[in-house]
Amino acid sequence: MKLTFRLRYHTRVGQSLWMMGSRALSGQGKSSTERTSQRDVPTLYGEKKEAVPMEYHDGESWQVSFELPSAEANEPLNYQYIMRDADDSSAEDWEQGRRLVPGEFGRDELLVIDSWNNTGAADNAFYTEPFKKVLLAPDFTEVHTPAPAEATHTFRIKAPLLARGQTLCLLGDGPAFGNWNTANPVLLNRFPGEDELSVALDLRGQNFPLAYKYGVFDTEKKAFVRFESGDNRVLNDSIAANKHTLICDGFVRLPSDTWRGAGVAIPVFSLRSENSFGVGEFLDLEPFADWGKAVGLRLIQILPVNDTSATHTSADSYPYAAISAFALHPLYINIAAVADAKNKKLLAALEPERKRLNALEEMDYATVMEAKLGFLKKIFPSQKAQTLQSAEYKNFASENEHWLLPYAAFCFLRDKYNTSDFSQWPEHSRYDAKAIAVLAKDNDEIAFHLFIQFHLHLQLKEATAHAHAKGLVVKGDIAIGVYRHSADVWQEPELYNTNIQAGAPPDPFAAKGQNWGFPTYNWPRMESDGFKWWKHRFSQMGHYFDAFRIDHILGFFRIWSIPTHAVEGILGYFVPAIPVEEKEFATRGITFDRERFLKPFITDPVLEEMFGSESAVVRREFLDANALGVYSLKQQFATQRAVEDYFAKNKSKEGVAKVKPGLFDLISNVILLEVEGKLHFRFGIEQTSSFKHLPPEVRGRLKDLYVDYFFRRQDDFWKLEATRKLPALKRVTNMLICGEDLGMVPPTVPVLMRGLGLLSLEVQRMPKGLGAEFSRPQNAPYLSVVTPSTHDMSTIRGWWEEDRALTQKFFNQELHQHGDAPRTAGPEIVRAVLQQHLASPAMWSVFQLQDLLGTDGKLRRADVQTERINQPDNPKHYWCYRMHMTLEQLQKEGNFNEGLRQLIEGNGR
């Protein structure tokens, strides 16, 4: 059987097209390497694949032909296209599901005319899980069109945003196309489970080239609705005996930016129902989804729900420090749903404590965990066998074997040795799969953690299924890092750089930067096995969620890396990065003074400025005098970590302890950082005393080199880094992905994200435009999520009271109000901000629940400061925010709910 693939793609000079696929195509690729050099065979994002070179056919297409053995004609053929550019970079056609059974067409010759699918096309978003399974599913209308007795051509096309009762129709030249008659057009089939609409036609007797176009037809009203936009499509072909032509026309040319939805963001632990145990639980997502449906929401967004129980203290409340990137947190388990009929009676003894904890304004993390785990340990012996021997559990264990048992063993050893720092364990400090298998045999304490994970899995699956039934999708959050003392690092230490701490550079919300304490990733090692660990993570999200947010997506381009001797993020630097060389200083007329640029600049004026009346104490206790008025830190206080440790041991020295923040500033009062012999600028040098005390001409030249280092030289380099990671990972999942692209965003980030079809995050008070004070939701790109605040920020009400001058500008410039801004953000102010976001062209507008409640003067909290979830500049922040009313009470607030529904629906969401 002869197969010909013709791809419509307009190339530039230096570009070539290739085809990759299974079976026969693989064989063709091998033969092609005999007539092309190894360099000619493309690689895609670092992956070498067999590929068939295509040949230039005409000005609009490329083509390849080969013979398919008749024995293989009825076997599925999977294939895809890639484009290689003149610089050896490659781009992939995003039509992931190209699948063909050539024999189904019953001919000896098959011509396939394909269309290139641009990865960043907005239409692709509507074929991701949330849209296919939930959001657009109610609009599907099955349509059947009789096929002719002998078809010569089959047309296929995608149209994701057809309304219920609609299908596409085909109109064009000649009788087979109805001679452009809209009264009786050719209707395309819509079959369940198929992304494409299709129709088979007999075009014998037609004159080629043929002009045609798709239109929208209402099958219920039996009426033509409209033509697709753009010029007529043209088919150049010929009829031949025993030949069939399959035309894959890509996407119909209809508006692809009309679907818009609204969502609510809240951590699971912040939910409060009448039945929860002092903390939000997975099953609380069910009444929350019921409320969401009532007010017209389409999405629930949560924070990471992975296990963070490293210390069994409130420090574990931080949801981004997971001891497993895969295990769910026992905090979210509903113990009543775990207990079988015989054990239900044991719940009565816990009822007074449950009610007490549930009535608290904030979550009591440690007490809740103790109570829940204590109960589960009581019922585990009697329920263990039935659970762990069930077919459902065995299937769960099989699907998660790469992490499940190592995690359970890690938890057992953590508790046995009273530390998650596995380097301190007397035994099993190095993970050994065989030794852990022996340890786990007949070990009930390890089996206990397997038992908990299975029930968490069941409860989260149940909750998300309930949300789907209500027409809502659930968006998870994939943290950029893992805890230093975690099961992941224990199991595969080679994947991490444990001698470095990950964080973020300073921004308006964290002046000293952020130090998360996580190890950074050993990306070259991860790449060596095709990013297997990351692919597992992305796949794991798909077990429960429809969409997910990539926390700090900038980390895939470069990560802010902080030495372990530093406490604050200010002493970090980007990895990877092109360093500054000494010769660059000379070329700019700057004398390179290593001592002056790399050592803390400490003089009497600096000390007076930083410490005032405490200067004498600092000189006496912490400094050595090098010369008149010039000092250096004593060796025992030369790093922030050393200072931190000193004050931890000397808390009683009140007169000395209050100077600790100033000592941190003194240590970071440098121009350059030296890392493994390479020079990097300290972030924000112009804010340092060291920089301010330099001569004006040196400051100007240094600042220019600083700007080049941070904002010019790295861009292409960082783009290459992310291109090696993100495209390969995106192919693992069909979930809708949003990247948290906030902070110091290189210009290459939005370009690559748009190219991959990743949704950006647009926060009104964190504008991305240079010199802007606010971003405007009405200017947001379609493939984005707009929001007035995130969990890392104050709510709208809280922000309104933080900076009077900024609030005044916002009131006049963004809300277009005259006069003085009110001192507090009343319901009308909050509502106006929500209105801006709901009216945005962005695909999604998502709001913290606190901001939605802020539109009602009776429902909002009295104390605005208690609404905040996180303080990112405080690494020891206790995450304990809870709703101040139950979900059952919220569902009964008819006036508020109806007003919110009208606001959402009135803006077309």
Side-chain angles (χ1 to χ4, degrees):
M1 181 179 187
K2 182 180 179 181
L3 280 181
T4 299
F5 292 87
R6 184 179 299 162
L7 178 64
R8 290 173 288 201
Y9 189 99
H10 185 74
T11 50
R12 301 190 306 269
V13 175
Q15 291 181 331
S16 61
L17 289 168
W18 298 68
M19 186 177 181
M20 300 180 297
S22 59
R23 298 187 300 102
L25 287 180
S26 179
Q28 291 290 318
K30 292 176 182 176
S31 64
S32 72
T33 57
E34 296 174 1
R35 54 182 189 270
T36 57
S37 68
Q38 184 63 36
R39 177 185 169 278
D40 289 328
V41 180
T43 61
L44 185 62
Y45 311 129
E47 298 181 15
K48 293 183 178 179
K49 295 188 176 183
E50 291 291 348
V52 180
M54 303 184 76
E55 296 179 352
Y56 184 71
H57 179 67
D58 55 35
E60 297 297 330
S61 61
W62 288 61
Q63 182 170 296
V64 63
S65 298
F66 58 90
E67 291 293 330
L68 181 69
S70 57
E72 299 181 6
N74 291 312
E75 297 180 18
L77 176 65
N78 301 298
Y79 67 99
Q80 65 185 126
Y81 301 103
I82 61 171
M83 184 278 296
R84 195 188 73 187
D85 220 327
D87 62 357
D88 283 343
S89 63
S90 296
E92 179 184 8
D93 163 64
W94 200 251
E95 195 62 49
Q96 299 270 49
R98 293 196 192 272
R99 183 178 182 276
L100 187 66
V101 181
E104 288 183 351
F105 296 92
R107 296 291 186 268
D108 292 336
E109 180 181 352
L110 179 63
L111 169 63
V112 181
I113 302 175
D114 272 331
S115 301
W116 179 273
N117 184 347
N118 179 16
T119 306
D123 301 82
N124 286 317
F126 303 117
Y127 292 94
T128 56
E129 297 297 302
F131 286 99
K132 287 181 65 174
K133 292 187 176 181
V134 182
L135 300 172
L136 298 181
D139 296 332
F140 176 79
T141 300
E142 190 169 350
V143 177
H144 290 270
T145 297
E150 194 170 347
T152 61
H153 290 72
T154 298
F155 291 81
R156 292 180 182 172
I157 192 166
K158 291 183 175 182
L161 295 180
L162 292 176
R164 184 164 184 78
Q166 291 183 345
T167 189
L168 291 184
C169 58
L170 192 56
L171 306 99
D173 296 336
F177 284 137
N179 288 308
W180 297 99
N181 183 1
T182 60
N184 190 28
V186 176
L187 301 187
L188 274 69
N189 296 286
R190 297 186 74 184
F191 296 131
E194 293 189 2
D195 291 343
E196 293 173 311
L197 292 80
S198 63
V199 68
L201 297 177
D202 183 354
L203 298 186
R204 287 177 297 179
Q206 299 284 142
N207 295 318
F208 293 94
L210 267 174
Y212 67 99
K213 212 166 194 177
Y214 294 95
V216 179
F217 191 86
D218 190 316
T219 62
E220 295 175 355
K221 298 178 181 178
K222 300 188 184 307
F224 180 80
V225 178
R226 61 163 294 180
F227 278 106
E228 66 174 337
S229 60
D231 296 334
N232 291 340
R233 299 175 188 257
V234 177
L235 175 63
N236 284 295
D237 197 17
S238 60
I239 304 294
N242 250 333
K243 173 192 172 186
H244 193 91
T245 301
L246 172 62
I247 303 101
C248 301
D249 270 326
F251 295 107
V252 67
R253 295 192 296 254
L254 294 172
S256 58
D257 58 357
T258 56
W259 193 98
R260 298 182 305 134
V264 60
I266 191 169
V268 173
F269 61 76
S270 298
L271 294 171
R272 184 193 296 269
S273 74
E274 292 177 359
N275 296 320
S276 51
F277 205 116
V279 66
E281 300 167 344
F282 286 148
L283 294 184
D284 288 330
L285 289 168
E286 295 186 14
F288 194 51
D290 294 340
W291 170 79
K293 177 179 175 59
V295 299
L297 295 171
R298 308 303 302 275
L299 177 146
I300 295 171
Q301 178 176 316
I302 62 176
L303 296 186
V305 289
N306 298 106
D307 190 357
T308 59
S309 51
T311 66
H312 297 309
T313 68
S314 61
D316 298 340
S317 68
Y318 178 37
Y320 289 90
I323 63 165
S324 170
F326 305 96
L328 298 172
H329 204 312
L331 180 71
Y332 303 119
I333 201 165
N334 181 293
I335 59 175
V338 176
D340 62 17
K342 293 181 180 179
N343 285 320
K344 292 286 187 187
K345 59 186 179 182
L346 297 177
L347 290 167
L350 278 177
E351 188 60 10
E353 179 69 347
R354 186 194 71 80
K355 288 183 176 180
R356 183 188 73 81
L357 290 169
N358 216 30
L360 296 177
E361 182 174 312
E362 297 178 335
M363 171 182 62
D364 183 344
Y365 175 89
T367 305
V368 168
M369 283 290 289
E370 183 179 5
K372 286 192 174 188
L373 291 176
F375 176 80
L376 292 171
K377 286 177 181 177
K378 284 183 180 179
I379 69 172
F380 173 65
S382 64
Q383 295 188 209
K384 174 186 63 172
Q386 184 177 0
T387 300
L388 301 186
Q389 292 174 15
S390 68
E392 195 172 8
Y393 170 78
K394 290 178 180 178
N395 182 60
F396 165 75
S398 175
E399 288 183 350
N400 297 278
E401 63 179 348
H402 65 94
W403 68 268
L404 184 59
L405 184 59
Y407 157 79
F410 177 89
C411 291
F412 164 72
L413 293 166
R414 170 203 62 197
D415 296 343
K416 179 179 180 179
Y417 298 122
N418 202 32
T419 179
S420 62
D421 184 354
F422 47 87
S423 67
Q424 304 301 312
W425 296 347
E427 294 182 285
H428 304 291
S429 61
R430 290 181 178 273
Y431 175 78
D432 180 276
K434 292 182 179 179
I436 293 303
V438 172
L439 179 69
K441 187 174 177 59
D442 300 323
N443 187 322
D444 279 356
E445 292 180 80
I446 290 178
F448 174 66
H449 298 287
L450 304 177
F451 174 84
I452 292 176
Q453 285 303 306
F454 177 59
H455 281 285
L456 285 164
H457 163 77
L458 294 178
Q459 292 183 14
L460 183 52
K461 290 283 283 186
E462 177 186 331
T464 53
H466 183 89
H468 292 167
K470 297 296 180 179
L472 281 82
V473 296
V474 183
K475 180 182 177 184
D477 196 339
I478 199 163
I480 188 61
V482 296
Y483 190 58
R484 182 172 298 276
H485 308 309
S486 67
D488 302 271
V489 181
W490 176 58
Q491 189 177 356
E492 297 183 279
E494 67 277 7
L495 299 182
Y496 310 90
N497 299 311
T498 54
N499 59 335
I500 295 293
Q501 306 170 98
D507 60 36
F509 303 95
K512 301 292 183 65
Q514 299 177 49
N515 182 356
W516 305 323
F518 310 144
T520 63
Y521 295 119
N522 182 351
W523 285 112
R525 171 60 184 83
M526 287 182 158
E527 188 176 23
S528 69
D529 63 11
F531 304 107
K532 183 176 68 174
W533 183 83
W534 276 103
K535 289 178 178 179
H536 280 317
R537 284 193 81 182
F538 278 36
S539 297
Q540 181 81 358
M541 296 295 284
H543 291 170
Y544 310 109
F545 306 114
D546 313 285
F548 65 89
R549 164 189 176 270
I550 301 179
D551 170 49
H552 195 67
I553 198 171
L554 302 180
F556 288 88
F557 293 78
R558 76 291 187 275
I559 194 70
W560 191 248
S561 302
I562 306 159
T564 52
H565 62 68
V567 174
E568 297 175 328
I570 191 69
L571 285 173
Y573 53 95
F574 285 124
V575 174
I578 301 171
V580 184
E581 298 184 17
E582 286 190 28
K583 63 182 180 182
E584 294 184 71
F585 293 87
T587 59
R588 294 173 185 262
I590 306 169
T591 300
F592 182 77
D593 186 335
R594 175 173 292 273
E595 185 77 13
R596 179 66 179 81
F597 290 163
L598 274 79
K599 299 293 184 181
F601 180 68
I602 309 173
T603 63
D604 284 323
V606 169
L607 293 173
E608 292 298 326
E609 177 186 338
M610 285 189 176
F611 299 97
S613 61
E614 303 295 330
S615 297
V617 174
V618 173
R619 289 188 189 92
R620 181 180 70 252
E621 297 283 342
F622 302 102
L623 303 178
D624 288 327
N626 298 339
L628 185 63
V630 179
Y631 306 88
S632 62
L633 288 148
K634 291 181 178 180
Q635 186 62 35
Q636 62 268 39
F637 304 115
T639 69
Q640 290 186 340
R641 188 68 61 190
V643 171
E644 176 92 342
D645 293 343
Y646 172 78
F647 285 118
K649 297 174 182 176
N650 295 274
K651 294 178 181 179
S652 60
K653 290 190 174 182
E654 296 182 7
V656 177
K658 60 184 178 181
V659 304
K660 184 176 79 169
L663 289 174
F664 280 2
D665 290 343
L666 208 58
I667 291 166
S668 63
N669 189 27
V670 296
I671 303 294
L672 295 169
L673 306 171
E674 187 170 26
V675 183
E676 297 179 350
K678 305 293 184 181
L679 299 176
H680 302 270
F681 272 105
R682 201 215 84 162
F683 191 85
I685 58 169
E686 66 274 19
Q687 305 300 323
T688 67
S689 297
S690 181
F691 181 82
K692 293 174 182 177
H693 282 77
L694 290 169
E697 66 276 9
V698 176
R699 292 201 302 268
R701 293 165 186 168
L702 263 180
K703 185 61 184 293
D704 186 61
L705 184 56
Y706 169 91
V707 169
D708 176 79
Y709 170 81
F710 276 115
F711 303 104
R712 296 183 190 134
R713 72 174 64 187
Q714 315 289 355
D715 204 45
D716 289 340
F717 181 55
W718 286 337
K719 179 181 179 181
L720 179 62
E721 281 294 313
T723 302
R724 289 163 51 192
K725 304 162 189 169
L726 284 174
L729 296 175
K730 185 176 186 291
R731 293 202 306 275
V732 176
T733 179
N734 194 36
M735 299 170 71
L736 185 66
I737 304 174
C738 172
E740 187 223 16
D741 53 337
L742 303 178
M744 186 177 166
V745 183
T748 189
V749 172
V751 174
L752 185 58
M753 287 181 64
R754 283 195 300 268
L756 289 174
L758 304 179
L759 274 62
S760 62
L761 180 60
E762 310 295 327
V763 183
Q764 192 170 33
R765 70 186 81 160
M766 289 191 72
K768 296 173 182 176
L770 191 63
E773 290 182 295
F774 313 103
S775 69
R776 291 180 171 163
Q778 67 264 33
N779 297 331
Y782 178 64
L783 290 182
S784 70
V785 177
V786 293
T787 186
S789 64
T790 75
H791 63 274
D792 281 330
M793 304 173 185
S794 50
T795 58
I796 297 171
R797 295 172 61 206
W799 171 74
W800 195 267
E801 300 176 15
E802 289 172 358
D803 186 330
R804 176 66 183 167
L806 194 62
T807 298
Q808 185 66 54
K809 287 184 180 180
F810 185 86
F811 184 71
N812 299 141
Q813 298 173 13
E814 305 304 314
L815 296 184
H816 308 293
Q817 300 296 311
H818 300 291
D820 292 339
R823 293 287 176 178
T824 60
E828 69 287 348
I829 293 288
V830 178
R831 187 180 180 88
V833 174
L834 264 60
Q835 167 69 35
Q836 290 180 326
H837 289 75
L838 288 167
S840 168
M843 176 183 281
W844 289 101
S845 54
V846 177
F847 307 96
Q848 291 195 79
L849 179 64
Q850 305 94 293
D851 285 334
L852 296 178
L853 295 174
T855 62
D856 190 296
K858 295 180 180 178
L859 294 186
R860 54 167 50 188
R861 281 197 177 198
D863 183 359
V864 67
Q865 299 305 320
T866 61
E867 291 184 333
R868 185 150 186 175
I869 295 172
N870 180 37
Q871 293 276 359
D873 57 347
N874 177 12
K876 297 182 180 180
H877 174 75
Y878 176 33
W879 297 60
C880 56
Y881 166 77
R882 293 190 75 199
M883 295 174 61
H884 62 290
M885 60 192 305
T886 67
L887 291 167
E888 291 82 0
Q889 290 172 323
L890 181 60
Q891 289 172 340
K892 294 176 182 178
E893 294 294 336
N895 291 337
F896 167 74
N897 293 333
E898 178 60 20
L900 180 57
R901 186 189 65 79
Q902 291 180 7
L903 182 63
I904 292 169
E905 293 182 357
N907 283 280
R909 291 192 179 268

